[in-house]
DNA sequence: AAGTATTTTACGGGAATCCGTAATTGGGAG
DNA sequence: CTCCCAATTACGGATTCCCGTAAAATACTT
C-alpha cells in the first residue's frame, strides 16, 4: 500500500471521507490541502525532507474565496506537481464528466486514475488505488467511453476562443476587428463565419444560440 | 439535540462526512438515502411507525443514473416531504450559490437552514443544526446577501421556459408556433420578442447569444 | 357600462445572421 | 518559376433577428 498520500480537495466534507477511506486502506500518512497552493507547498516540503508523497488524490475545481491564489484549478496543480515530482501517481477525484476534459487529463497530464464523485465513488476510489498499485490505470466504469471520445482532437484552441467571445456577447461583425486587434488569425468575417458554421454542424446546433448552450453544457467554454 | 435525522445526498463521500458529523453531535438515529424516492419512503415509514424524523438534511441536485426516479431534485423532494410532514425541519446542504435558487427555497419551500458546501461547511452544518434548535434559521455567511436578491421577483417561470427553449435551439420564429402548440400564453412573435428584449436589458446582454451564456452561468437555465 | 391602464398582437424597416460561391493568398512539389 | 492544393478572404443574397410604433384585446376602476 502507498505510505504517504496527499489530498487536494476544497470541500471539507469530502476531505473527511477520503481521509477515512485511506485510513481504512492502511495508508500511514495522510495530508490534505484545501488550496492548490498549499498542496504544492506540502509536496515541496516532503521532497526536501526526503519523504516524498507516493500518491496525489486531487479534485479539479476549487471554489474561489477571499484568498488570492496562484494555482486555481486541479489541472494546473497536476501539471505543476508533475514538473516537481514526475514519478508521483495521480488520481483525479471529481464530479467532472465531460469526455473532453477527462481525455485531456489522461493524454496531456498523464494522470493514472480518474474517479467520478457519485453514489459509489468511495468504493471506486479504493479500487482505483489498488489498481494503481499494480501499475495500471483506472477510470470510473460509467466514464470508460470518455477515452474513446474524439471531440478533443477536432476542436482546437481557436474554436474555444471563438466560442468564448461569442458567449461574451461579441457579434460576428465585431469579431473580425477584435481578432485583428488581438493578433488572432484567421480573422476575416468570412472565415470566422465558416468556423462557426463548422462548429454548428459538429455539435448539431440549430443556430448560434443553441451552439453556445451546447458547448457550455459540455464544459468546453 | 435532534433524535432522528434523515440525510438525502447522492454522493457517498459526503454522506459519510455528514453522518460522522451528526454522530459527533449526539444524534441517536441517522438514516441516509442516495435517491429522493428512497428518502420519501423512509420518511413515510418512520411516520407510520410513529417515530418520525426531526430533521432532514438534503442536497439539491441528484445525478441521474440507470435508475428511473419520480422525484429528481432536492427542491421537489422538500416540497413532497413538507406535504407529508409539514413540521419537519429542513436544512439544505448544497454547492448551489445562486441567490435566485436560495431565496426561493426560503420563501417558497420554507426551509429552515442553508449550508453551502465548501471549505468550512461541516462546522457551518453543526452551527446550523444548533441554530435550528433555538427555532431560528441559518444561512452560510458568504450567502447572506442572497436573501436580499431581487432577481427572483422579476424573472418568472414564463421567462425561464422562454430562455430554455432559446437555449435548445428554437428560433424566435418557431417559438410562436411552439408556444401555441404547448398552450403557453402569450405566444405572439412580437410579445416573445419583447420579453427577450426585456431579458437582454435586465441581464445587460449584447445579443441573444450573450443572454443565454449569462443565464446559463447564473444557473437560471 | 364606460373609461382608463396594461398587456398582447400586428406590422414593418433596418441590422445582423446565415450560407452559399467565387476570388485571392501562401506555401510545398516538381 | 510555375503549378497545384489548401486555406483564407471577398462578396452577395436569403433569412432571421432586433426594435420601434400602432392597433387590438384584456383587465381594472369608478
Amino acid at each position: 500500500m502507498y505510505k504517504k498520500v496527499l489530498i487536494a480537495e476544497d470541500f471539507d466534507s469530502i476531505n473527511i471521507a477520503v481521509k477515512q477511506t485511506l485510513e481504512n486502506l492502511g495508508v500511514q500518512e495522510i495530508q490534505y490541502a484545501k488550496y492548490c497552493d498549499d498542496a504544492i507547498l506540502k509536496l515541496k516540503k516532503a521532497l526536501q525532507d526526503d519523504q516524498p508523497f507516493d500518491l496525489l488524490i486531487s479534485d479539479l475545481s476549487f471554489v474561489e474565496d477571499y484568498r488570492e491564489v496562484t494555482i486555481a484549478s486541479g489541472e494546473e496543480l497536476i501539471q505543476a506537481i508533475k514538473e516537481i515530482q514526475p514519478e508521483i501517481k495521480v488520481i483525479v477525484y471529481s464530479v467532472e464528466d465531460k469526455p473532453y476534459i477527462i481525455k485531456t487529463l489522461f493524454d496531456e497530464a498523464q494522470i493514472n486514475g480518474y474517479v467520478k464523485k457519485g453514489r459509489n465513488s468511495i468504493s471506486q476510489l479504493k479500487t482505483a488505488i489498488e489498481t494503481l498499485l499494480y501499475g495500471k490505470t483506472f477510470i470510473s466504469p460509467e466514464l470508460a467511453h470518455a477515452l474513446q471520445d474524439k471531440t478533443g482532437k477536432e476542436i482546437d484552441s481557436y474554436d474555444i476562443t471563438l466560442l468564448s467571445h461569442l458567449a461574451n456577447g461579441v457579434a460576428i461583425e465585431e469579431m473580425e476587428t477584435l481578432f485583428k486587434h488581438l493578433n488572432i488569425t484567421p480573422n476575416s468575417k468570412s472565415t470566422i463565419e465558416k468556423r462557426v458554421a463548422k462548429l454548428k454542424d459538429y455539435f448539431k446546433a440549430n443556430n448560434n444560440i443553441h451552439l453556445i448552450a451546447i458547448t457550455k453544457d459540455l464544459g468546453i467554454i
Side-chain angles (χ1 to χ4, degrees), chain A:
Chain A
M1 181 48 60
Y2 293 115
K3 291 204 172 53
K4 196 168 171 180
V5 178
L6 178 61
I7 309 169
E9 163 69 53
D10 51 350
F11 287 6
D12 52 359
S13 36
I14 292 176
N15 256 317
I16 290 170
V18 174
K19 187 156 176 286
Q20 201 186 77
T21 307
L22 293 174
E23 281 167 0
N24 292 344
L25 280 175
V27 176
Q28 292 169 6
E29 191 176 349
I30 304 159
Q31 291 189 29
Y32 69 85
K34 290 181 181 175
Y35 294 89
C36 294
D37 292 351
D38 295 347
I40 290 278
L41 287 178
K42 284 181 194 284
L43 190 98
K44 282 183 179 164
K45 177 77 163 47
L47 263 180
Q48 275 179 359
D49 297 350
D50 214 27
Q51 296 185 326
F53 286 99
D54 305 312
L55 172 67
L56 166 73
I57 298 176
S58 179
D59 191 7
L60 286 183
S61 76
F62 291 77
V63 296
E64 288 178 44
D65 58 13
Y66 59 92
R67 183 168 152 180
E68 287 265 338
V69 295
T70 54
I71 298 181
S73 74
E75 284 95 335
E76 296 170 53
L77 173 66
I78 292 165
Q79 198 178 355
I81 280 185
K82 285 263 175 171
E83 279 171 20
I84 300 169
Q85 188 183 333
E87 79 284 3
I88 194 171
K89 301 285 179 186
V90 177
I91 292 176
V92 173
Y93 183 51
S94 167
V95 293
E96 185 59 64
D97 63 354
K98 310 297 181 313
Y100 172 70
I101 310 275
I102 297 167
K103 193 170 164 55
T104 310
L105 281 169
F106 276 100
D107 293 351
E108 312 282 326
Q110 308 275 326
I111 64 168
N112 309 95
Y114 192 98
V115 179
K116 171 159 169 28
K117 287 175 185 167
R119 293 194 171 83
N120 285 300
S121 54
I122 288 294
S123 78
Q124 283 186 10
L125 189 59
K126 286 182 187 166
T127 313
I129 293 170
E130 284 159 2
T131 310
L132 257 63
L133 285 170
Y134 288 105
K136 293 165 69 181
T137 61
F138 178 90
I139 183 166
S140 293
E142 65 266 35
L143 295 177
H145 68 278
L147 301 185
Q148 268 79 53
D149 186 74
K150 297 196 306 297
T151 315
K153 297 294 165 204
E154 311 195 8
I155 306 298
D156 60 18
S157 69
Y158 180 84
D159 294 310
I160 312 273
T161 17
L162 182 52
L163 287 168
S164 305
H165 286 302
L166 261 182
N168 285 330
V170 180
I172 306 272
E173 289 288 334
E174 308 165 295
M175 201 73 72
E176 181 168 359
T177 321
L178 179 65
F179 273 21
K180 277 174 181 153
H181 189 252
L182 294 175
N183 283 325
I184 299 174
T185 56
N187 48 37
S188 83
K189 183 186 161 195
S190 177
T191 303
I192 289 168
E193 284 177 333
K194 264 202 163 40
R195 276 296 179 121
V196 174
K198 198 194 76 182
L199 289 167
K200 280 213 297 285
D201 185 55
Y202 185 85
F203 289 110
K204 298 176 181 45
N206 296 344
N207 52 39
N208 287 353
I209 298 173
H210 197 190
L211 176 64
I212 294 303
I214 291 172
T215 48
K216 264 203 171 291
D217 281 341
L218 289 176
I220 291 172
I221 53 172

